[in-house]
Amino acid sequence: MQDFIRADQLDKIEHFIALGYYDSAVKESCALLEEILKKVYRQALADLPIEDRTVLLESEEKIGNRNKSYTKFGFGELVGLFNRSRLLERWGKYTQSNMGIIRSISLDYIVDLRNRLTHDQANQMCTKAEANLAYDALTNWLSFIGYKEMDRGIEKAFTSLNGEEKKQEVNIYDKVKEKVNSDYDSSSVREKRRLKLQSSYSEEFDAQCFEYVLNKMDKKQGLIGLDIGCADGYVTELRFKKEYPFDMVIGVDFNEKLIEKISQEDHGHFYYHQLDLEAKDFDDRIQAIMDEHEIEGFDVIFSALTLHHLKNPQRILMKLRKYLNRGGAIIIRGVDDGAMLAYDDGGLVEKILKETISFENVSDRFHGRKFYTMLCSLGYKDIQMRYQVDDTTHMTFEEREDFFHYYFDFRLSYTLRTLNKDPDNPLYQENHMKMQEMLDELEEKFMKPDFFFSTLTISAIGFK
């Protein structure tokens, strides 16, 4: 996009009008206005407050049908974007400027005029008055932002009278950018601690599921187990207890770094392998693992808090079924954010949950309710659903703190993951700060003895 309007471009339009080429004058005026609107919109995305920028981006997405950015918009689409987002109104309010000169001529009328020329009746010419109107609209905009060095003129036109407020906003963004140095990693110290907390909450619950399965199965000795999503093996070796009749347990996980580390250690009858559950060669890979250990199938398959990360968990359950020995069982455990209850949080938990699922590539936070239907549809028999209720009643201060971190810490990783892709994006920065502030507020509420929070852990057991 050009940075200034050359005098000869304006002379050209005036020359068209003088010679009676009114339609050409309108088209030239609209082409230059299109350039100006794109520059103004770009500056608005950089300078306006976050709530205004959010509206702008939502309007852009709507008009572009989610597959076209404003840089590809034509004149009519740009005017529609300005109207839908009420950009001029927001611009004037932010800068406390009088926008009268650029609002005095409706761009909607200029769009209709241009469309009439280019789409409706190409042989119909405009009147002199219409050509002058389009040219006046252009010169009004130029008189407001400047004829030369438009980028600098537009930037100046967006300068808020409250400069200190804008300076503070930049400082907030800088503060966020300093923190953008991490991404989700199941091998991190913080996540390992969270996984151990997870294990402690569900240890007795899982043990009841395992004991139910082992008592119901005809086979009582020489069992082979499989843990889907084993991480560092900590939970695997707690769940497949030494007193249980397993001769061998295989753990598989996507995290190559973790698997490489624990594979170098002696874990007795526990063996660990890297495996991508959604890879096209999944069947070849798991068969290779089975051949390596000279096993024909598994008697118990266990998976905890793994399926919700997959794009198609039902397909994985279908594939796993053929590696399950007849009479064998599968145990799957997960949660469902829809089962969370909180009081008195002023709707804060609901806001955090809603914000969580608004990001791309978020795991299925409502997968627990789907377990029965998935297993039933795949031919698993004697399906049993089990539930564990956890709540803050009778918890100590330290227990409340751990409970909060287990169920809410990871949600910040969603905003960080988005922000890491584009650290300078002000909307992503603001989303991250917003999530951090909401989590900080909720953590304070958790620590109060009269605050109530409860949720469900859900397991499903099916037999082949």
Side-chain angles (χ1 to χ4, degrees):
M1 291 186 285
Q2 63 188 54
D3 188 40
F4 60 91
I5 300 294
R6 300 191 311 272
D8 65 322
Q9 290 177 290
L10 298 179
D11 289 341
K12 182 180 180 181
I13 297 174
E14 292 177 356
H15 188 60
F16 281 149
I17 295 175
L19 293 177
Y21 299 149
Y22 305 133
D23 53 345
S24 297
V26 170
K27 290 177 182 178
E28 287 292 325
S29 297
C30 290
L32 294 177
L33 279 167
E34 182 178 317
E35 291 289 313
I36 292 171
L37 295 183
K38 286 181 180 179
K39 286 179 176 290
V40 168
Y41 182 76
R42 182 181 63 187
Q43 194 68 40
L45 287 178
D47 282 2
L48 291 184
I50 183 62
E51 59 270 19
D52 291 332
R53 294 197 300 270
T54 301
V55 174
L56 262 59
L57 290 170
E58 288 174 350
S59 300
E60 178 187 344
E61 186 179 71
K62 186 74 174 179
I63 291 175
N65 293 320
R66 299 190 176 187
N67 60 17
K68 185 166 70 169
S69 76
Y70 79 94
T71 58
K72 303 295 184 182
F73 285 1
F75 180 55
E77 291 170 312
L78 287 166
V79 173
L81 175 58
F82 273 57
N83 290 341
R84 185 182 185 90
S85 62
R86 303 201 317 276
L87 196 154
L88 295 184
E89 179 182 328
R90 297 175 189 280
W91 182 5
K93 182 178 179 181
Y94 176 65
T95 61
Q96 299 179 33
S97 300
N98 184 351
M99 315 296 289
I101 188 170
I102 57 176
R103 302 182 73 170
S104 61
I105 298 177
S106 170
L107 291 182
D108 290 324
Y109 180 79
I110 308 300
V111 170
D112 291 340
L113 193 58
R114 199 283 312 265
N115 288 344
R116 195 180 77 204
L117 289 173
T118 56
H119 303 304
D120 298 338
Q121 300 177 36
N123 60 344
Q124 179 177 343
M125 295 183 63
C126 296
T127 66
K128 182 177 181 179
E130 291 171 329
N132 280 326
L133 189 66
Y135 183 58
D136 288 345
L138 171 63
T139 54
N140 283 354
W141 275 84
L142 290 173
S143 66
F144 189 77
I145 62 175
Y147 288 73
K148 295 184 178 181
E149 296 185 340
M150 279 197 297
D151 286 340
R152 185 178 297 179
I154 291 172
E155 182 179 354
K156 184 177 180 181
F158 270 92
T159 301
S160 170
L161 294 182
N162 189 349
E164 187 62 31
E165 178 183 344
K166 188 173 180 181
K167 181 179 179 182
Q168 290 176 0
E169 184 181 26
V170 173
N171 289 338
I172 291 174
Y173 294 158
D174 289 340
K175 184 179 179 182
V176 175
K177 288 160 72 173
E178 290 174 2
K179 295 181 180 180
V180 184
N181 56 11
S182 65
D183 200 355
Y184 176 78
D185 182 2
S186 56
S187 62
S188 69
V189 174
R190 186 183 184 91
E191 184 61 9
K192 278 186 175 181
R193 179 177 181 276
R194 200 180 74 84
L195 291 174
K196 288 183 178 181
L197 278 175
Q198 172 196 112
S199 174
S200 66
Y201 285 130
S202 55
E203 184 171 3
E204 184 179 346
F205 181 57
D206 286 342
Q208 293 171 359
C209 293
F210 267 85
E211 288 163 11
Y212 170 80
V213 163
L214 295 175
N215 288 333
K216 190 174 176 63
M217 287 173 58
D218 294 332
K219 189 176 179 180
K220 301 298 182 183
Q221 296 295 327
L223 302 181
I224 306 297
L226 174 65
D227 185 7
I228 301 294
C230 63
D232 64 355
Y234 176 82
V235 175
T236 308
E237 297 177 26
L238 283 177
R239 297 309 184 258
F240 290 86
K241 296 180 180 180
K242 291 183 178 179
E243 58 264 34
Y244 291 164
F246 287 94
D247 281 0
M248 182 184 298
V249 177
I250 305 295
V252 296
D253 197 275
F254 180 79
N255 192 316
E256 190 171 356
K257 180 181 177 182
L258 273 180
I259 295 300
E260 183 179 355
K261 180 178 183 297
I262 61 178
S263 295
Q264 297 172 357
E265 305 164 352
D266 183 6
H267 290 267
H269 66 285
F270 292 89
Y271 300 89
Y272 298 98
H273 295 268
Q274 193 277 334
L275 181 64
D276 182 351
L277 298 175
E278 298 187 296
K280 291 183 178 180
D281 63 348
F282 168 80
D283 288 299
D284 293 337
R285 292 286 307 282
I286 195 168
Q287 189 61 59
I289 293 171
M290 294 168 65
D291 292 343
E292 179 182 339
H293 295 284
E294 299 180 344
I295 57 179
E296 296 182 355
F298 301 98
D299 298 297
V300 177
I301 297 177
F302 173 68
S303 183
L305 296 171
T306 297
L307 295 176
H308 64 299
H309 291 295
L310 305 178
K311 294 177 181 177
N312 192 342
Q314 186 157 342
R315 181 176 177 80
I316 299 303
L317 290 173
M318 178 183 68
K319 285 178 174 289
L320 289 173
R321 189 179 185 278
K322 63 184 175 183
Y323 301 107
L324 187 64
N325 292 329
R326 187 164 296 280
I330 187 169
I331 304 170
I332 55 178
R333 170 164 59 81
V335 294
D336 195 307
D337 282 356
M340 290 184 176
L341 297 175
Y343 190 84
D344 180 19
D345 65 326
L348 188 56
V349 168
E350 185 176 350
K351 290 178 184 176
I352 291 172
L353 299 183
K354 189 175 293 186
E355 192 76 14
T356 297
I357 63 175
S358 69
F359 296 101
E360 295 181 0
N361 301 318
V362 174
S363 58
D364 182 2
R365 303 303 311 166
F366 302 91
H367 69 296
R369 67 189 68 183
K370 304 171 185 175
F371 285 173
Y372 177 83
T373 301
M374 286 195 293
L375 293 182
C376 187
S377 66
L378 294 173
Y380 289 94
K381 300 177 181 178
D382 299 328
I383 300 169
Q384 183 178 93
M385 299 297 298
R386 294 190 167 218
Y387 310 94
Q388 173 179 294
V389 179
D390 292 300
D391 64 45
T392 53
T393 59
H394 309 301
M395 281 189 176
T396 65
F397 183 92
E398 291 75 15
E399 288 170 338
R400 282 174 173 265
E401 186 175 23
D402 284 343
F403 198 37
F404 167 80
H405 288 306
Y406 169 42
Y407 277 104
F408 290 95
D409 263 8
F410 68 92
R411 298 175 194 273
L412 194 61
S413 68
Y414 294 136
T415 59
L416 272 175
R417 192 162 55 205
T418 303
L419 186 53
N420 280 334
K421 294 179 181 179
D422 187 3
D424 294 318
N425 188 311
L427 181 59
Y428 296 163
Q429 293 168 354
E430 187 69 22
N431 284 341
H432 178 65
M433 289 297 294
K434 179 181 177 183
M435 178 63 78
Q436 181 69 72
E437 289 168 1
M438 289 193 295
L439 290 175
D440 288 346
E441 183 181 352
L442 183 61
E443 184 177 14
E444 291 180 9
K445 292 182 180 295
F446 254 80
M447 300 306 105
K448 296 178 179 179
D450 61 344
F451 177 75
F452 175 77
F453 176 81
S454 74
T455 190
L456 281 180
T457 298
I458 304 170
S459 282
I461 301 169
F463 292 85
K464 181 176 178 180

